[in-house]
Amino acid sequence: MPETTTVPVDFTLDLTCVHSYLGFTRFERAAATLRERGVAVQVRFHPFQVSPDAPVEGEPLRDVHERFFGSRWKVAEATGSMAEVGAKDGLEFNFDRAVHVNTFRAHRLAAAAAEQGAGEAAVERLFRAYLTDGANIGDPDVLAAIAAEVGVTPPVGGDDDLRAELARVRAGGVHAVPQVRVAGGPPMVGAQTEQDYAEALEQQVTARR
């Protein structure tokens, strides 16, 4: 049998970042096309916190937006535009229901899921829980339900490892997410198009033939 072509990908994201969700969704579609051809796209996730000081207990995202934008109509304008962008990618963004929360616990679940071979499934479900369902992804009960849904054992411990990885990512010069590196190549920062991700992956497939 011919040897399987493997393309490694490093994907840095935050689980309450709408741009990370967009980039992840587009990347996954590009990766799916290659996987259908028998290419192994191996994704390794790296954690980043856009709002490391966000409350552990959470608060309505609309309140955060009102403090930032200064008025409800500006919030409605900004979130409405982003919801339209998401809809074009088949995503439903319910900003009025979202809970702004510290993502540390959610990143722990994503890391544990990755160790169990379900990283991509867990990341997708966490994004959807936050931006579509309005779930508090810092709540241990919510995270336990998500873990059960994607078929993984919830993490026990590992906080020090996650703190070290968050610090390493920051020290490595990451200041904005999403950031994707295909086979150690230059970083693709921000939500790229599906075509951009597909081309970056395809280049590495060609290079490995």
Side-chain angles (χ1 to χ4, degrees):
M1 295 179 64
E3 184 177 346
T4 300
T5 300
T6 300
V7 179
V9 176
D10 290 283
F11 203 126
T12 306
L13 50 74
D14 196 5
L15 295 160
T16 56
C17 171
V18 64
H19 299 287
S20 290
Y21 192 10
L22 285 167
F24 173 78
T25 299
R26 295 166 183 171
F27 172 84
E28 285 288 284
R29 289 175 180 156
T33 299
L34 265 68
R35 286 166 171 162
E36 289 173 358
R37 291 164 40 197
V39 176
V41 180
Q42 294 183 345
V43 182
R44 181 172 64 172
F45 292 108
H46 302 280
F48 183 87
Q49 289 190 295
V50 174
S51 302
D53 297 325
V56 174
E57 66 278 6
E59 67 173 317
L61 181 61
R62 61 177 176 272
D63 292 349
V64 178
H65 281 163
E66 285 185 19
R67 291 198 299 269
F68 181 81
F69 289 104
S71 69
R72 290 188 177 183
W73 73 265
K74 287 184 179 179
V75 172
E77 182 180 40
T79 56
S81 296
M82 186 55 68
E84 290 178 4
V85 172
K88 292 178 181 177
D89 278 285
L91 303 175
E92 180 182 351
F93 295 157
N94 293 314
F95 293 103
D96 286 344
R97 297 171 56 187
V99 179
H100 178 68
V101 68
N102 193 290
T103 54
F104 189 89
R105 290 171 177 165
H107 278 303
R108 276 293 298 119
L109 174 56
E115 292 170 359
Q116 298 171 55
E120 290 170 71
V123 165
E124 187 281 328
R125 188 63 188 95
L126 286 162
F127 275 134
R128 183 158 43 92
Y130 173 70
L131 277 164
T132 301
D133 301 342
N136 182 341
I137 63 169
D139 186 317
D141 291 338
V142 170
L143 294 173
I146 290 174
E149 186 176 333
V150 298
V152 302
T153 302
V156 176
D159 288 3
D160 289 343
D161 290 341
L162 177 56
R163 291 189 187 97
E165 180 65 3
L166 285 164
R168 188 196 67 77
V169 169
R170 287 273 185 180
V174 177
H175 302 294
V177 288
Q179 177 172 293
V180 176
R181 286 182 181 270
V182 178
M188 304 173 72
V189 182
Q192 309 292 308
T193 67
E194 181 179 336
Q195 183 62 31
D196 288 335
Y197 291 127
E199 290 177 358
L201 291 166
E202 193 65 56
Q203 287 175 3
Q204 292 303 318
V205 172
T206 301
R208 282 162 168 70
R209 285 176 178 165

